[in-house]
Amino acid sequence: IVEREQEIEAFKSQEYWTISANLLTPKQENFTARLTHFQGKKLEKFDIPNSEKADHICKELITQKLNVDAIEKKQTKRHPAPPFITSTLQQEAARKLGFSASRTMQTAQKLYEGITIAGETTGLITYMRTDSIQLAQEAITEARSFLKKAYGENYVPSSPRQFKNKAKNAQEAHEAIRPTQLSRRPQEVAAYLDDSQLKLYELIWKRTLASQMESALFDQVTVDIINPNKETVFRATGSTQVFDGFLRLYQEGVDEGSEAEEGESILPVMNQGDALKTKSIDPFQHFTQPPPRFTEASLVKKLEELGIGRPSTYAPLIQVLQDRDYVKLEKRQFIPEDRGRLV
């Protein structure tokens, strides 16, 4: 945490510019494309360092005739994430529910030890300290038959999904964290659980089922646009979802500060050789950002990557740092205190 703070303090922001064209197809449909090559040279991130250079390029481009050069279409698949292990459960609960690592573990402990349902104590999830992403065979069978009933055959892959563990010193004595009975929907147990327990149970239930669902399918289109001498190249990317697959049930959270994917927009239909009309050429100013401070989610992820601690120790470790005033948590980010820096 201190090292990250030092990186942030030493960081010098750098200005850079990108240029986009606002274009019209022959059918008068609007879309934008980004400049990738200028005067026959591929543009690197810092090649347009200031507004003077950006304006100069824009002036030169506005008069150029542009045509569609190449259209590439491909189908891409997005696969579901594996079921939860201790660290991923702590990360997702932090991102999606705003839970601290210790709150996640305390809540999971209660769900594991058992909740009184209809006069009987029932454990709702499997053991919550585990590195294994494997599911027991009966859980996979139950998940597949549940999904077929709930969503239909096309949401279930032809053979069960198997996941490989990336973590180094993984101890796989237990299976992944999953509901003890997948047919037990969150709304059926809602009456017996408090707010935290219900939210966490629902997160585990959805993630487990999604891990055995069919991949999501996207049509991805990339259009290259050039001027007559081919020295200027603009590129537009877009994608459309063809089949939602596992996304119907569950979408993985992302950490703050991670880059959003390009190409989420939908492009109009175009053909090779189409002449395009330029409505405007627009410069955009950007500044490089320092690395973000750690959140509970990104810190657990980093500890796991570095092989520091074990699934059972992430939560107490993070707690001790705060109890001893080494770090403080502000707006869900860790900031080192003076004492922490000295240590």
Side-chain angles (χ1 to χ4, degrees), residues 34-43 231-234:
R34 206 162 66 111
L35 183 68
T36 60
H37 294 69
F38 180 65
Q39 294 176 341
K41 184 171 157 278
K42 186 179 191 304
L43 290 173
E231 288 200 335
T232 300
V233 182
F234 284 94

Side-chain angles (χ1 to χ4, degrees), residues 86 90 105 127-131 309-317:
T86 309
Q90 290 176 12
M105 293 312 281
Y127 193 56
M128 64 282 146
R129 292 198 178 97
T130 176
D131 285 335
R310 304 246 9 95
S312 54
T313 60
Y314 298 137
L317 203 149

Side-chain angles (χ1 to χ4, degrees), residues 146 149-151 179 181-190 193 198 201-202 205 209 249:
F146 178 87
K149 277 200 203 88
Y151 299 108
Q181 253 185 297
L182 285 161
S183 53
R184 209 179 268 130
R185 291 171 185 254
Q187 59 267 34
E188 290 167 18
V189 290
L193 304 177
L198 179 61
Y201 179 72
E202 186 170 12
W205 184 81
L209 283 168
L249 189 62

Side-chain angles (χ1 to χ4, degrees), residues 36-52:
T36 60
H37 294 69
F38 180 65
Q39 294 176 341
K41 184 171 157 278
K42 186 179 191 304
L43 290 173
E44 302 299 338
K45 186 171 183 172
F46 298 109
D47 280 355
I48 311 175
N50 50 40
S51 60
E52 292 78 35

Side-chain angles (χ1 to χ4, degrees), residues 64 199 204 324:
Q64 294 188 3
K199 282 179 175 162
I204 295 167
R324 293 189 186 162

Side-chain angles (χ1 to χ4, degrees), residues 13-259:
S13 187
Q14 200 173 341
E15 180 184 5
Y16 66 101
W17 290 70
T18 57
I19 290 172
S20 290
N22 196 354
L23 303 166
L24 276 178
T25 67
K27 290 184 177 162
Q28 303 302 301
E29 291 176 297
N30 210 35
F31 72 101
T32 55
R34 206 162 66 111
L35 183 68
T36 60
H37 294 69
F38 180 65
Q39 294 176 341
K41 184 171 157 278
K42 186 179 191 304
L43 290 173
E44 302 299 338
K45 186 171 183 172
F46 298 109
D47 280 355
I48 311 175
N50 50 40
S51 60
E52 292 78 35
K53 180 147 189 199
D55 291 340
H56 165 72
I57 294 174
C58 289
K59 280 197 186 81
E60 199 170 315
L61 292 176
I62 195 75
T63 56
Q64 294 188 3
K65 285 190 163 55
L66 296 173
N67 290 73
V68 175
D69 174 48
I71 301 171
E72 189 194 350
K73 287 184 184 169
K74 60 173 191 230
Q75 269 205 341
T76 58
K77 278 184 171 184
R78 209 162 123 201
H79 306 300
F84 282 131
I85 57 175
T86 309
S87 59
T88 51
L89 178 67
Q90 290 176 12
Q91 288 166 50
E92 278 291 84
R95 289 183 196 126
K96 288 194 160 176
L97 309 176
F99 285 13
S100 68
S102 52
R103 181 177 170 191
T104 299
M105 293 312 281
Q106 282 160 7
T107 308
Q109 182 84 36
K110 288 196 185 103
L111 291 173
Y112 167 69
E113 284 172 359
I115 303 289
T116 306
I117 297 177
E120 192 172 319
T121 305
T122 310
L124 294 184
I125 62 167
T126 56
Y127 193 56
M128 64 282 146
R129 292 198 178 97
T130 176
D131 285 335
S132 171
I133 47 179
Q134 304 307 323
L135 292 175
Q137 194 48 55
E138 62 266 29
I140 294 177
T141 311
E142 189 188 5
R144 288 170 64 83
S145 72
F146 178 87
L147 290 166
K148 277 177 193 163
K149 277 200 203 88
Y151 299 108
E153 292 275 350
N154 54 343
Y155 279 90
V156 185
S158 53
S159 59
R161 277 186 192 284
Q162 298 296 335
F163 296 95
K164 286 197 172 55
N165 207 333
K166 291 193 191 81
K168 296 191 211 31
N169 51 11
Q171 294 178 357
E172 304 199 354
H174 303 278
E175 59 175 311
I177 305 168
R178 64 166 176 89
T180 46
Q181 253 185 297
L182 285 161
S183 53
R184 209 179 268 130
R185 291 171 185 254
Q187 59 267 34
E188 290 167 18
V189 290
Y192 307 100
L193 304 177
D194 67 27
D195 186 51
S196 298
Q197 291 165 353
L198 179 61
K199 282 179 175 162
L200 196 66
Y201 179 72
E202 186 170 12
L203 192 70
I204 295 167
W205 184 81
K206 284 184 170 174
R207 171 83 164 223
T208 308
L209 283 168
S211 75
Q212 287 301 320
M213 286 175 84
E214 192 55 90
S215 304
L217 209 56
F218 294 87
D219 273 341
Q220 217 164 18
V221 183
T222 306
V223 181
D224 282 345
I225 295 142
I226 56 168
N227 68 341
N229 66 7
K230 298 190 178 182
E231 288 200 335
T232 300
V233 182
F234 284 94
R235 172 167 281 194
T237 52
S239 67
T240 50
Q241 187 177 308
V242 186
F243 176 62
D244 56 0
F246 74 95
L247 293 174
R248 180 159 170 190
L249 189 62
Y250 183 86
Q251 192 147 1
E252 209 177 354
V254 289
D255 288 318
E256 290 154 40
S258 51
E259 295 294 309

Side-chain angles (χ1 to χ4, degrees), residues 287-304:
F287 291 95
T288 53
Q289 296 296 321
R293 288 192 173 113
F294 285 114
T295 59
E296 289 232 4
S298 60
L299 185 61
V300 167
K301 193 174 175 180
K302 191 71 181 169
L303 291 174
E304 191 180 29

